[in-house]
Amino acid sequence: MKKRMITLLAIALILGACLGWGKPASAAESSFKDVPANHWAKKAIDYAVSKGYLKGEGNGSFRPNAAVTRAEFAAILDRVSTNEAKANMGSFSDLAGHWSEKEVSEAAAKGFLSVGDYSNGFKPGTALTRVEMAKWMASGLAAKDEDYKTALSDTKETIVPVTEYYKGGLNKADYPYVSVVLGTGLMSGYPDDSFGAGKTTTRAEVAVILQRYEGTQEKAASSFRDLSELREVGLTGTNVKTVAPKLSITDGGLQEIYNKNINLRNGIAVLQIHHYIFIPGSSMADLGSVYGKMFVDKEYMVNPKTYLVLIDETLTPNADNFTYQRYLGAIDNDLKAGLRIDGDVTKKFGYKTPPNDGSHFFDKGKGIRFWSAGMFMKTLNDNEDRYSNAVTANDGTTIRIVYKK
């Protein structure tokens, strides 16, 4: 009898070795035939499967390049989320009897998605778009933490550092959701700096994003500097507080003069300032701002002693034959206007900057909105606070920047 028990135990151990019983989940799930050892997302896939967030196909494959459907991602978010479910948030008529019915309903109850957004049905088999993914994750964070909800409000008017912001392809209603996922690092743009709002996401990409979300949902919104920068720009029109802590804004902040008329030298032109973006980085490898890629490329020589200041302005010439050279000659303050932005970034992101080849750009009496670039010293030679580059609007409103000790 004892011999028989030993034999049965040996057989069980052999079967367990073959079937993966008793192994750590990461080891058991690491043998998908379509996820080789050198796959870029292998570690994330193994982790997601070991946690039960994602599953294999039951035939030894994972399908890493397959698009994720609405039903799949809702179910995944329900599994990874630590949100508390609220009362019944409604149901989708086209989910009755569907495998995902329970998990989609729970994802809605946890704040990730709204039944009202899918009045024509949830259509569970539809491939999830990247902007939907952004909205669901940002909404889930907002449902868990009030400050993320505030962040969504703060970024309604921000500049989103993706090519679609100026070129089109991103609805203004989606600015806050995209800002939150970019600002927290949950999602990133493509190598061409587009966000790809209408594109879909693969199962491999989702595995990576889930790992990020798992950690992000436990962190405060204020812990993400990029998100803080996007919020500041949305609220004040500038990022100076976030990226230039050695500077202090006085007299109510830079936004006090936004959209007010400001004369250039001799009244040759009138401008309105809409945004100031400070780039503090001292190298191309680290520009120190989420907006660096929008305004800086190889044509710009980074100066470690100065901030690069980008000025979003509307200028209306009061004279005929107003050229870029006349514009430069009328500048009497580095925070009023600046040089054109060189390189390929203007074309890449789709915003305007004056040409330097003499081609037509300005028209008398007609306002034109564009970006220019100025410089602002990072430090003074002494240890005293000092006002610098005060800008006064035509109505007398003045803003100043103070260097801190």
Side-chain angles (χ1 to χ4, degrees):
M1 184 68 179
K2 183 177 180 182
K3 183 177 181 181
R4 183 182 178 189
M5 289 180 65
I6 294 174
T7 301
L8 289 173
L9 179 60
I11 293 173
L13 290 173
I14 293 171
L15 286 173
C18 293
L19 297 177
W21 300 343
K23 291 182 180 180
S26 59
E29 261 83 56
S30 66
S31 57
F32 292 118
K33 59 187 178 183
D34 53 357
V35 184
N38 62 350
H39 191 281
W40 66 273
K42 178 173 172 53
K43 288 184 178 180
I45 291 170
D46 288 346
Y47 179 79
V49 172
S50 73
K51 296 283 285 187
Y53 301 151
L54 286 167
K55 301 175 183 178
E57 295 299 300
N59 60 357
S61 63
F62 181 78
R63 294 192 307 134
N65 297 321
V68 172
T69 67
R70 288 174 178 170
E72 289 170 337
F73 196 63
I76 289 166
L77 288 177
D78 178 46
R79 295 166 194 160
V80 73
S81 174
T82 57
N83 288 16
E84 292 184 9
K86 296 183 178 179
N88 193 312
M89 304 300 287
S91 60
F92 299 96
S93 59
D94 59 346
L95 281 183
H98 192 270
W99 68 264
S100 68
E101 181 180 8
K102 180 177 180 293
E103 288 175 304
V104 172
S105 295
E106 288 178 351
K110 290 180 178 179
F112 288 99
L113 57 125
S114 170
V115 173
D117 287 342
Y118 299 94
S119 57
N120 294 323
F122 186 66
K123 301 177 182 178
T126 301
L128 187 81
T129 65
R130 280 172 56 84
V131 76
E132 281 181 301
M133 179 178 288
K135 185 173 183 178
W136 290 12
M137 289 194 296
S139 296
L141 291 173
K144 181 179 177 65
D145 186 331
E146 189 68 25
D147 196 28
Y148 281 105
K149 184 177 180 180
T150 303
L152 289 175
S153 177
D154 292 347
T155 51
K156 286 181 178 179
E157 301 296 330
T158 199
I159 297 172
V160 187
V162 295
T163 59
E164 294 95 333
Y165 180 78
Y166 282 108
K167 289 187 171 182
L170 186 65
N171 294 325
K172 187 173 181 179
D174 295 322
Y175 288 0
Y177 307 112
V178 175
S179 293
V180 167
V181 297
L182 291 177
T184 56
L186 282 172
M187 298 176 72
S188 58
Y190 287 97
D192 64 355
D193 291 317
S194 66
F195 182 72
K199 293 183 178 179
T200 57
T201 305
T202 67
R203 284 165 56 84
E205 291 169 330
V206 164
V208 175
I209 290 171
L210 283 180
Q211 221 170 351
R212 296 172 186 165
Y213 187 88
E214 187 181 48
T216 299
Q217 68 180 338
E218 304 303 329
K219 295 179 180 179
S222 59
S223 67
F224 296 98
R225 200 213 64 174
D226 286 355
L227 180 57
S228 296
E229 189 177 354
L230 291 164
R231 294 174 72 172
E232 185 186 359
V233 170
L235 291 173
T236 70
T238 182
N239 63 344
V240 65
K241 182 178 179 180
T242 303
V243 305
K246 291 184 178 181
L247 302 180
S248 176
I249 311 303
T250 66
D251 298 318
L254 293 177
Q255 65 271 26
E256 289 294 302
I257 62 168
Y258 287 159
N259 303 322
K260 293 184 177 181
N261 286 344
I262 303 170
N263 284 334
L264 287 186
R265 181 179 286 132
N266 299 323
I268 196 172
V270 175
L271 60 86
Q272 296 88 37
I273 295 172
H274 311 295
H275 292 95
Y276 285 115
I277 300 295
F278 284 67
I279 308 295
S282 58
S283 72
M284 289 296 296
D286 182 14
L287 291 169
S289 167
V290 72
Y291 295 105
K293 62 185 179 182
M294 287 189 75
F295 300 105
V296 183
D297 68 5
K298 60 183 180 298
E299 298 294 328
Y300 168 62
M301 300 302 292
V302 177
N303 186 338
K305 295 183 178 181
T306 62
Y307 296 107
L308 176 65
V309 185
L310 289 309
I311 306 169
D312 176 17
E313 60 188 294
T314 296
L315 186 136
T316 304
N318 292 325
D320 291 316
N321 301 317
F322 193 87
T323 62
Y324 174 53
Q325 286 67 33
R326 294 189 72 180
Y327 163 75
L328 294 179
I331 298 173
D332 56 5
N333 188 304
D334 286 341
L335 289 180
K336 282 187 178 180
L339 299 170
R340 72 181 307 275
I341 297 172
D342 290 322
D344 297 329
V345 285
T346 57
K347 182 178 180 180
K348 183 177 184 180
F349 282 88
Y351 57 84
K352 294 179 181 178
T353 196
N356 62 356
D357 59 2
S359 58
H360 184 78
F361 188 74
F362 298 102
D363 287 301
K364 180 180 179 181
K366 293 184 179 180
I368 184 169
R369 187 166 178 172
F370 59 91
W371 284 89
S372 65
M375 298 290 180
F376 197 87
M377 294 298 297
K378 288 183 177 178
T379 58
L380 295 176
N381 293 326
D382 53 49
N383 294 320
E384 297 179 358
D385 288 346
R386 183 185 301 177
Y387 289 112
S388 176
N389 285 15
V391 177
T392 301
N394 293 353
D395 68 355
T397 305
T398 300
I399 60 96
R400 296 179 176 88
I401 292 182
V402 178
Y403 290 93
K404 294 181 180 179
K405 289 184 179 180

